[in-house]
Amino acid sequence: MTGGFDRVLVANRGEIAVRVMRACRELDIDTVAVYSEADRDAGHVAYADEAYRVGPARAADSYLDGDAIIDAAKRSSADAIHPGYGFLAENADFAAQVEETAGITWVGPPSDAMEQLGEKTHARRVMQAAGVPIVPGTTDPVTDPEEVAAFGDEHGYPLAIKAEGGGGGRGMKVVHDPEEIEAKLESAQREGEAYFDNDSVYVERFLEHPRHVEVQILADQDGEVRHLGERDCSLQRRHQKVIEEGPSPALSEELREQIGAAARRGVEATEYTNAGTVEFLVAEDLDRDEPLGPETDFYFLEVNTRIQVEHPVTEAITGIDIVKWQLRVAQGEAIAFEQSEVDIDGHAIEFRINAENAADDFAPATGGTLDTYDPPGGIGVRVDDALTQGDALVTDYDSMIAKLIVSGETRVETLARSKRALAEFDIDGVVTILPFHRLMVTDDRFVAGTHTTRYLDEEVDTERIQDAQNRWGTESSESDDGDESTRREFTVEVDGKRFEVELEAHDAPSLDVPDGQGTQPRPERASSETDQTANAPGGQTVTAEMQGTILEVNVEEGDEVAAGDVLCVLEAMKMENDVVADSSGTVTDVRVSADESVDMGDVLFVIE
């Protein structure tokens, strides 16, 4: 397609959906939102020109329902679909489905390139053939524990079992000794199937103290590839990025050039177009007193065939709007700048403002309302979000509230500006990791730029995080089920298409609807915990600590369990959580089964 787009459907939610829609508006393109039942009042829905409901809260039945997404695109007369990140963004089958739909363009890499580079074992072979260093690992999927054990015998431990379609630590399990192999293999396969509809996994050597460096690339349909510099994403907890920055504070110019050239070389060896990110692990020298030199080992990790959460870092230091270029490349435009014209100017840091309690092992918030939401401003400060003051937290998906991106002429200035901006960011009613970020911008290792991917998980004193939470943190507000206020904002859906009638009054009396017609406020309902506990037999009840989906149940009625035994695995906020017995006893009641959704407080088991 060489003509411009008239209307783009954004197959995502939250801040990334709004980010893409803003780029569309600047290009004079109308936007279409899709939403689940849980996101009926979401910010991206309000921002779009049109919005279509695509299913219930469960992502598998809404944001991951490719048929529903394409149907919404057809009904809205959209001529392109932008997937954002997550959900269907790296699903090659969905990309192919869009490509095969007449009149609709996929804003992303071709599906065959996504298949080649998105599948980790394929990508390793491609990069190896292009002369890009790779971590020792399998080039074919593994299915049997014996295969994993054989790899461990040859290359040693620890090793990592990774889902082929995975990313961001999801579907990745670290094995420290042979006894863990079977359970970790099954868990990685299960997460791969749950999140990426692909249970294939591979094995590679796990580097214990690396840096995580990624290179932003952009490729057009004429085969021209540009890299836009690197980002350092080494500050992670449980393989999930928390703070990203660019350029990396650890690399010398010579090493930076080597890594950028390797990324560009690897992408040029494929038929890849549009935006993407080539990720590397860089061997860190913990005793160094200067940047890592050109002799430093670095290894290809994976290719993310989509826009990244942290793409604003690159936009801040290059002045290049990556989302606009995604749209332009998808329309057939050629990249308008040479590699030599890509200038890295200054420094930028992105802070993920997640609804999590860093002092409680980054546990996600289970609810709350943004009673106060006042983001910072000023020179060098950018906030990407989709929420506003008064919004209730939606806990069905990821925990991100916003992204704070701070830039300056130097890293020192950027850190000082970040300290100021984080102090100005005022959020009440929802617990967030703002206190953790305020701690990190004064942390000696982070300020020195010598942290690794293991720093948060293994070295940071948890008491310091607790002190920061006590000093700067807020708690989640409890919703008031007995609220007598009446909303007078009416949402009308005709054949699934959304129309808004903006009449709204908070804390107002209910509407007087004659003859019992219309909708009255729903009566107060007892919590799930109250309902179920009242009818539970005697014994200890084990309840869900958060809303989520049961992935597997490990016990049956009559089983004897000891304290610490895993009763079931609960998936919440895209993380697997073991639900364990607090004390020993006999399981007398099993209330849940695999694939069942549960709410916080629901009784899962009774143990006598």
Side-chain angles (χ1 to χ4, degrees), residues 63 206 220 330 339 435 490 492 524 532 535 557:
Y63 294 112
F206 183 72
D220 65 22
Q339 184 63 57
F490 298 94
V492 180
E524 181 176 350
Q532 297 198 38
N535 299 319
E557 291 183 9

Side-chain angles (χ1 to χ4, degrees), residues 360-421:
D360 186 20
D361 198 27
F362 291 90
T366 55
T369 299
L370 291 173
D371 300 324
T372 301
Y373 182 74
D374 188 10
I379 188 169
V381 175
R382 164 180 168 179
V383 177
D384 282 15
D385 57 19
L387 294 170
T388 58
Q389 186 162 299
D391 285 351
L393 186 67
V394 175
T395 58
D396 298 85
Y397 313 107
D398 63 66
S399 58
M400 185 179 293
I401 293 176
K403 300 184 314 197
L404 170 64
I405 305 96
V406 182
S407 57
E409 292 185 9
T410 65
R411 189 171 189 263
V412 171
E413 181 181 63
T414 303
L415 284 168
R417 186 167 288 162
S418 297
K419 185 177 180 180
R420 183 267 296 173

Side-chain angles (χ1 to χ4, degrees), residues 460-476:
V460 173
D461 184 352
T462 56
E463 290 187 4
R464 295 175 58 216
I465 298 177
Q466 182 64 66
D467 290 344
Q469 186 67 31
N470 293 340
R471 181 178 180 185
W472 296 307
T474 61
E475 298 298 324
S476 293

Side-chain angles (χ1 to χ4, degrees), residues 70 73-74 78-80 96-105:
I70 291 177
K74 290 178 178 178
D79 43 24
Q97 189 179 358
V98 175
E99 291 167 347
E100 294 166 1
T101 302
I104 301 179
T105 298

Side-chain angles (χ1 to χ4, degrees), residues 206-248:
F206 183 72
L207 303 180
E208 294 216 63
H209 296 286
R211 298 194 72 89
H212 186 142
V213 174
E214 61 188 28
V215 179
Q216 178 71 54
I217 62 95
L218 188 67
D220 65 22
Q221 297 176 20
D222 296 327
E224 293 293 325
V225 179
R226 306 286 183 265
H227 79 76
L228 309 183
E230 89 283 352
R231 299 182 290 259
D232 194 309
C233 307
S234 299
L235 200 73
Q236 306 176 4
R237 48 99 175 118
R238 300 196 300 275
H239 311 294
Q240 291 285 321
K241 302 168 186 174
V242 185
I243 299 176
E244 304 99 341
E245 62 182 306
S248 171

